[in-house]
Amino acid sequence: MIALDDVTLTYPGRTGPVTALAGTTMHVAKGEFAAVVGPSGCGKSTLMKLVTGLIRPTAGSVSVEGQKVTGPVKVAGMAFQHANMLPWRTVLQNVMLPLEIVEPYRRRFSREKGAFRDKAMALLNVVGLGAFADRFPWEMSGGMQQRASLCRALIHEPRLLMLDEPFAALDAFTREELWGVLRDLWQKLGFTVILVTHDLREAGFLADTIHVMSARPGRIVETRRVPFPRPRA
Ligand code: ADP
Ligand code: ADP
């Protein structure tokens, strides 16, 4: 599904070139849940940007679904540390946003709005937010907003979900609740995941495979399969 082969990424940098990734290799199979862990500055965000096609490697190759990445990757959904909900839209309207932007949904949006609404409601129900669809984001807790942001990342049925520290801003109890929510979604919907996290327990709880990065230069130094594979729906 995803292959980084011997990838080097050097930023121009203001005071001279900065090599964020140096000859790193990572493979993620279709349907796999992969976690990437490592210290701040080791190149985790850079790796995410390479996979989603926001930047191009200086050397080596990046491919998604067998296709060399040359521009923004359309099959990916994304969520970040902050939910970034639009405050003037309800939760439901926030979740439906990608359907107004991403083809082929965009073209069908005005005609099929009712069906899309049902689709968004179904997803909100899976994460336990069915009763909160018409609330505004600022009326909800951080954990609830992060549940909604997972729905928004998945509403257009991406085959790849990219998560950059999605639970880092949450308290420990809420964070563990959200692990369950994410695992349910993954088991139900069967997408491939790359999760960037500082939390080794989180990686161990959620992922099939853990890629450990080192800094200076940024590189994957170890890849471990988690010993007890979880059942899939
Ligand atoms: P992480 O996400 O693991 O914290 P990043 O991928 O953000 O790491 O950064 C990796 C390294 O590359 C760091 O040393 C960072 O300062 C550097 N870096 C990131 N983006 C840029 C950029 N646009 N220009 C110059 N250096 C950068
Ligand atoms: P994180 O550790 O969460 O990735 P950072 O503070 O390292 O956050 O980086 C935030 C953003 O700034 C990232 O998009 C990264 O690529 C960019 N960045 C990081 N370091 C530099 C740098 N030295 N020059 C320019 N941009 C940078």
Side-chain angles (χ1 to χ4, degrees), residues 9-14 16-21 38-49 164 196 198 213 216 218:
L9 191 288
T10 303
Y11 292 105
R14 261 186 312 148
V18 178
T19 297
L21 289 178
S40 200
C42 71
K44 300 184 296 297
S45 304
T46 300
L47 191 142
M48 298 294 265
K49 287 178 198 166
D164 196 347
V196 164
H198 283 115
M213 295 187 73
R216 283 178 246 300

mmCIF file of all heavy atoms in Angstrom, residues 9-14 16-21 38-49 164 196 198 213 216 218, ligand 1:
data_model
loop_
_atom_site.group_PDB
_atom_site.id
_atom_site.type_symbol
_atom_site.label_atom_id
_atom_site.label_comp_id
_atom_site.label_asym_id
_atom_site.label_seq_id
_atom_site.Cartn_x
_atom_site.Cartn_y
_atom_site.Cartn_z
ATOM 1 N N LEU A 9 15.310 13.390 2.511
ATOM 2 C CA LEU A 9 14.638 14.671 2.313
ATOM 3 C C LEU A 9 15.494 15.749 2.946
ATOM 4 O O LEU A 9 15.710 15.751 4.153
ATOM 5 C CB LEU A 9 13.234 14.630 2.930
ATOM 6 C CG LEU A 9 12.263 15.771 2.614
ATOM 7 C CD1 LEU A 9 12.631 17.065 3.311
ATOM 8 C CD2 LEU A 9 12.093 16.015 1.125
ATOM 9 N N THR A 10 15.983 16.641 2.135
ATOM 10 C CA THR A 10 16.788 17.762 2.612
ATOM 11 C C THR A 10 16.032 19.052 2.348
ATOM 12 O O THR A 10 15.657 19.336 1.208
ATOM 13 C CB THR A 10 18.155 17.788 1.889
ATOM 14 O OG1 THR A 10 18.797 16.528 2.114
ATOM 15 C CG2 THR A 10 19.038 18.896 2.413
ATOM 16 N N TYR A 11 15.765 19.814 3.438
ATOM 17 C CA TYR A 11 15.148 21.130 3.291
ATOM 18 C C TYR A 11 16.240 22.141 2.978
ATOM 19 O O TYR A 11 17.352 22.013 3.491
ATOM 20 C CB TYR A 11 14.457 21.554 4.588
ATOM 21 C CG TYR A 11 13.233 20.755 4.966
ATOM 22 C CD1 TYR A 11 13.280 19.816 5.997
ATOM 23 C CD2 TYR A 11 12.013 20.945 4.305
ATOM 24 C CE1 TYR A 11 12.149 19.092 6.367
ATOM 25 C CE2 TYR A 11 10.882 20.230 4.671
ATOM 26 C CZ TYR A 11 10.958 19.305 5.698
ATOM 27 O OH TYR A 11 9.852 18.595 6.063
ATOM 28 N N PRO A 12 15.912 23.166 2.168
ATOM 29 C CA PRO A 12 16.908 24.215 1.928
ATOM 30 C C PRO A 12 17.373 24.862 3.241
ATOM 31 O O PRO A 12 18.562 24.986 3.479
ATOM 32 C CB PRO A 12 16.171 25.221 1.043
ATOM 33 C CG PRO A 12 14.962 24.520 0.530
ATOM 34 C CD PRO A 12 14.646 23.409 1.491
ATOM 35 N N GLY A 13 16.417 25.219 4.116
ATOM 36 C CA GLY A 13 16.765 25.792 5.411
ATOM 37 C C GLY A 13 17.298 27.211 5.276
ATOM 38 O O GLY A 13 17.898 27.550 4.272
ATOM 39 N N ARG A 14 17.074 28.024 6.292
ATOM 40 C CA ARG A 14 17.473 29.429 6.209
ATOM 41 C C ARG A 14 18.980 29.595 6.340
ATOM 42 O O ARG A 14 19.585 30.456 5.743
ATOM 43 C CB ARG A 14 16.772 30.244 7.299
ATOM 44 C CG ARG A 14 15.541 30.974 6.754
ATOM 45 C CD ARG A 14 14.961 31.887 7.817
ATOM 46 N NE ARG A 14 14.832 31.169 9.086
ATOM 47 C CZ ARG A 14 14.961 31.733 10.268
ATOM 48 N NH1 ARG A 14 15.234 33.008 10.362
ATOM 49 N NH2 ARG A 14 14.820 31.014 11.366
ATOM 50 N N GLY A 16 21.213 27.072 5.798
ATOM 51 C CA GLY A 16 21.883 25.958 5.126
ATOM 52 C C GLY A 16 21.007 24.732 5.126
ATOM 53 O O GLY A 16 20.004 24.702 5.839
ATOM 54 N N PRO A 17 21.324 23.741 4.293
ATOM 55 C CA PRO A 17 20.476 22.574 4.140
ATOM 56 C C PRO A 17 20.289 21.795 5.446
ATOM 57 O O PRO A 17 21.224 21.679 6.235
ATOM 58 C CB PRO A 17 21.211 21.725 3.098
ATOM 59 C CG PRO A 17 22.438 22.448 2.706
ATOM 60 C CD PRO A 17 22.524 23.719 3.451
ATOM 61 N N VAL A 18 19.056 21.314 5.656
ATOM 62 C CA VAL A 18 18.751 20.478 6.821
ATOM 63 C C VAL A 18 18.257 19.128 6.302
ATOM 64 O O VAL A 18 17.253 19.070 5.596
ATOM 65 C CB VAL A 18 17.636 21.102 7.687
ATOM 66 C CG1 VAL A 18 17.290 20.194 8.871
ATOM 67 C CG2 VAL A 18 18.011 22.498 8.157
ATOM 68 N N THR A 19 18.982 18.062 6.602
ATOM 69 C CA THR A 19 18.544 16.740 6.176
ATOM 70 C C THR A 19 17.627 16.160 7.243
ATOM 71 O O THR A 19 18.071 15.776 8.323
ATOM 72 C CB THR A 19 19.750 15.825 5.895
ATOM 73 O OG1 THR A 19 20.475 16.397 4.804
ATOM 74 C CG2 THR A 19 19.302 14.428 5.501
ATOM 75 N N ALA A 20 16.317 16.149 6.941
ATOM 76 C CA ALA A 20 15.321 15.686 7.911
ATOM 77 C C ALA A 20 15.223 14.163 7.893
ATOM 78 O O ALA A 20 15.038 13.535 8.934
ATOM 79 C CB ALA A 20 13.971 16.311 7.613
ATOM 80 N N LEU A 21 15.346 13.567 6.712
ATOM 81 C CA LEU A 21 15.333 12.106 6.594
ATOM 82 C C LEU A 21 16.532 11.679 5.751
ATOM 83 O O LEU A 21 16.820 12.298 4.726
ATOM 84 C CB LEU A 21 14.054 11.615 5.899
ATOM 85 C CG LEU A 21 12.742 11.702 6.660
ATOM 86 C CD1 LEU A 21 11.588 11.201 5.779
ATOM 87 C CD2 LEU A 21 12.787 10.880 7.951
ATOM 88 N N GLY A 38 9.057 8.331 17.776
ATOM 89 C CA GLY A 38 10.410 8.872 17.791
ATOM 90 C C GLY A 38 10.423 10.243 18.430
ATOM 91 O O GLY A 38 9.373 10.864 18.579
ATOM 92 N N PRO A 39 11.596 10.727 18.798
ATOM 93 C CA PRO A 39 11.698 12.008 19.491
ATOM 94 C C PRO A 39 11.328 13.174 18.589
ATOM 95 O O PRO A 39 11.309 13.044 17.367
ATOM 96 C CB PRO A 39 13.182 12.087 19.882
ATOM 97 C CG PRO A 39 13.878 11.210 18.904
ATOM 98 C CD PRO A 39 12.914 10.117 18.561
ATOM 99 N N SER A 40 11.041 14.304 19.204
ATOM 100 C CA SER A 40 10.723 15.518 18.470
ATOM 101 C C SER A 40 11.876 15.853 17.519
ATOM 102 O O SER A 40 13.041 15.725 17.887
ATOM 103 C CB SER A 40 10.519 16.641 19.490
ATOM 104 O OG SER A 40 9.800 17.665 18.892
ATOM 105 N N GLY A 41 11.542 16.213 16.296
ATOM 106 C CA GLY A 41 12.561 16.605 15.332
ATOM 107 C C GLY A 41 13.178 15.457 14.547
ATOM 108 O O GLY A 41 14.093 15.667 13.761
ATOM 109 N N CYS A 42 12.681 14.220 14.742
ATOM 110 C CA CYS A 42 13.293 13.079 14.047
ATOM 111 C C CYS A 42 12.768 12.934 12.618
ATOM 112 O O CYS A 42 13.274 12.117 11.849
ATOM 113 C CB CYS A 42 13.082 11.786 14.827
ATOM 114 S SG CYS A 42 11.392 11.207 14.817
ATOM 115 N N GLY A 43 11.755 13.729 12.257
ATOM 116 C CA GLY A 43 11.288 13.684 10.874
ATOM 117 C C GLY A 43 9.930 13.034 10.680
ATOM 118 O O GLY A 43 9.556 12.680 9.565
ATOM 119 N N LYS A 44 9.151 12.933 11.751
ATOM 120 C CA LYS A 44 7.833 12.284 11.635
ATOM 121 C C LYS A 44 6.889 13.094 10.742
ATOM 122 O O LYS A 44 6.218 12.531 9.874
ATOM 123 C CB LYS A 44 7.201 12.090 13.026
ATOM 124 C CG LYS A 44 8.045 11.226 13.960
ATOM 125 C CD LYS A 44 7.364 10.960 15.290
ATOM 126 C CE LYS A 44 7.118 12.184 16.151
ATOM 127 N NZ LYS A 44 8.345 12.891 16.592
ATOM 128 N N SER A 45 6.851 14.411 10.967
ATOM 129 C CA SER A 45 5.970 15.247 10.123
ATOM 130 C C SER A 45 6.441 15.221 8.679
ATOM 131 O O SER A 45 5.628 15.203 7.751
ATOM 132 C CB SER A 45 5.969 16.696 10.598
ATOM 133 O OG SER A 45 5.600 16.766 11.940
ATOM 134 N N THR A 46 7.746 15.220 8.488
ATOM 135 C CA THR A 46 8.312 15.165 7.138
ATOM 136 C C THR A 46 7.869 13.880 6.440
ATOM 137 O O THR A 46 7.449 13.905 5.276
ATOM 138 C CB THR A 46 9.851 15.237 7.223
ATOM 139 O OG1 THR A 46 10.214 16.469 7.846
ATOM 140 C CG2 THR A 46 10.487 15.146 5.857
ATOM 141 N N LEU A 47 7.918 12.777 7.162
ATOM 142 C CA LEU A 47 7.493 11.490 6.607
ATOM 143 C C LEU A 47 6.014 11.528 6.205
ATOM 144 O O LEU A 47 5.631 11.078 5.122
ATOM 145 C CB LEU A 47 7.754 10.404 7.657
ATOM 146 C CG LEU A 47 7.627 8.967 7.246
ATOM 147 C CD1 LEU A 47 8.715 8.144 7.920
ATOM 148 C CD2 LEU A 47 6.278 8.400 7.631
ATOM 149 N N MET A 48 5.180 12.144 7.064
ATOM 150 C CA MET A 48 3.753 12.261 6.750
ATOM 151 C C MET A 48 3.542 13.103 5.491
ATOM 152 O O MET A 48 2.717 12.784 4.642
ATOM 153 C CB MET A 48 2.994 12.913 7.918
ATOM 154 C CG MET A 48 3.036 12.152 9.220
ATOM 155 S SD MET A 48 2.173 10.570 9.152
ATOM 156 C CE MET A 48 0.572 11.023 9.792
ATOM 157 N N LYS A 49 4.300 14.190 5.383
ATOM 158 C CA LYS A 49 4.161 15.079 4.219
ATOM 159 C C LYS A 49 4.610 14.390 2.937
ATOM 160 O O LYS A 49 4.065 14.660 1.860
ATOM 161 C CB LYS A 49 4.972 16.365 4.428
ATOM 162 C CG LYS A 49 4.347 17.303 5.441
ATOM 163 C CD LYS A 49 5.221 18.528 5.635
ATOM 164 C CE LYS A 49 4.857 19.233 6.926
ATOM 165 N NZ LYS A 49 5.879 20.208 7.317
ATOM 166 N N ASP A 164 -1.587 12.440 12.812
ATOM 167 C CA ASP A 164 -0.394 13.054 13.390
ATOM 168 C C ASP A 164 -0.705 13.475 14.824
ATOM 169 O O ASP A 164 -1.356 14.496 15.034
ATOM 170 C CB ASP A 164 0.031 14.256 12.525
ATOM 171 C CG ASP A 164 1.458 14.708 12.827
ATOM 172 O OD1 ASP A 164 2.027 14.262 13.849
ATOM 173 O OD2 ASP A 164 1.999 15.506 12.044
ATOM 174 N N VAL A 196 1.298 8.764 13.764
ATOM 175 C CA VAL A 196 2.490 9.326 14.400
ATOM 176 C C VAL A 196 2.156 9.607 15.853
ATOM 177 O O VAL A 196 1.132 10.228 16.140
ATOM 178 C CB VAL A 196 2.913 10.630 13.695
ATOM 179 C CG1 VAL A 196 3.883 11.418 14.551
ATOM 180 C CG2 VAL A 196 3.535 10.315 12.351
ATOM 181 N N HIS A 198 3.929 10.073 20.154
ATOM 182 C CA HIS A 198 5.035 10.018 21.119
ATOM 183 C C HIS A 198 4.770 8.937 22.144
ATOM 184 O O HIS A 198 5.623 8.645 22.962
ATOM 185 C CB HIS A 198 5.129 11.348 21.892
ATOM 186 C CG HIS A 198 5.752 12.441 21.124
ATOM 187 N ND1 HIS A 198 5.070 13.573 20.759
ATOM 188 C CD2 HIS A 198 6.999 12.574 20.628
ATOM 189 C CE1 HIS A 198 5.886 14.355 20.069
ATOM 190 N NE2 HIS A 198 7.051 13.768 19.975
ATOM 191 N N MET A 213 11.861 5.730 15.033
ATOM 192 C CA MET A 213 12.779 6.641 14.340
ATOM 193 C C MET A 213 13.811 7.201 15.290
ATOM 194 O O MET A 213 13.561 7.365 16.484
ATOM 195 C CB MET A 213 11.991 7.799 13.713
ATOM 196 C CG MET A 213 11.059 7.348 12.612
ATOM 197 S SD MET A 213 10.296 8.743 11.753
ATOM 198 C CE MET A 213 11.684 9.361 10.816
ATOM 199 N N ARG A 216 18.661 13.034 13.797
ATOM 200 C CA ARG A 216 20.025 13.428 13.402
ATOM 201 C C ARG A 216 20.886 12.267 12.972
ATOM 202 O O ARG A 216 21.752 11.867 13.733
ATOM 203 C CB ARG A 216 20.682 14.193 14.553
ATOM 204 C CG ARG A 216 20.150 15.618 14.597
ATOM 205 C CD ARG A 216 20.732 16.404 15.732
ATOM 206 N NE ARG A 216 19.732 16.769 16.726
ATOM 207 C CZ ARG A 216 18.655 17.519 16.480
ATOM 208 N NH1 ARG A 216 18.407 17.962 15.288
ATOM 209 N NH2 ARG A 216 17.818 17.808 17.434
ATOM 210 N N GLY A 218 17.324 11.856 10.686
ATOM 211 C CA GLY A 218 16.065 11.153 10.857
ATOM 212 C C GLY A 218 16.043 9.881 10.018
ATOM 213 O O GLY A 218 16.384 9.905 8.837
HETATM 214 P P1 ADP B 1 9.089 15.780 13.847
HETATM 215 O O1 ADP B 1 7.756 15.817 13.197
HETATM 216 O O2 ADP B 1 9.565 14.399 14.156
HETATM 217 O O3 ADP B 1 9.184 16.677 15.034
HETATM 218 P P2 ADP B 1 9.948 17.228 11.465
HETATM 219 O O4 ADP B 1 9.679 16.346 10.325
HETATM 220 O O5 ADP B 1 9.011 18.354 11.745
HETATM 221 O O6 ADP B 1 10.157 16.325 12.774
HETATM 222 O O7 ADP B 1 11.400 17.851 11.317
HETATM 223 C C1 ADP B 1 12.570 17.069 11.100
HETATM 224 C C2 ADP B 1 13.783 17.982 11.025
HETATM 225 O O8 ADP B 1 13.696 18.803 9.866
HETATM 226 C C3 ADP B 1 13.914 18.931 12.197
HETATM 227 O O9 ADP B 1 15.299 19.114 12.447
HETATM 228 C C4 ADP B 1 13.267 20.216 11.685
HETATM 229 O O10 ADP B 1 13.761 21.346 12.340
HETATM 230 C C5 ADP B 1 13.661 20.167 10.211
HETATM 231 N N1 ADP B 1 12.665 20.834 9.340
HETATM 232 C C6 ADP B 1 11.352 20.514 9.214
HETATM 233 N N2 ADP B 1 10.727 21.275 8.312
HETATM 234 C C7 ADP B 1 11.691 22.124 7.839
HETATM 235 C C8 ADP B 1 11.695 23.164 6.867
HETATM 236 N N3 ADP B 1 10.581 23.496 6.186
HETATM 237 N N4 ADP B 1 12.865 23.817 6.655
HETATM 238 C C9 ADP B 1 13.976 23.493 7.335
HETATM 239 N N5 ADP B 1 14.045 22.507 8.236
HETATM 240 C C10 ADP B 1 12.928 21.828 8.511
#
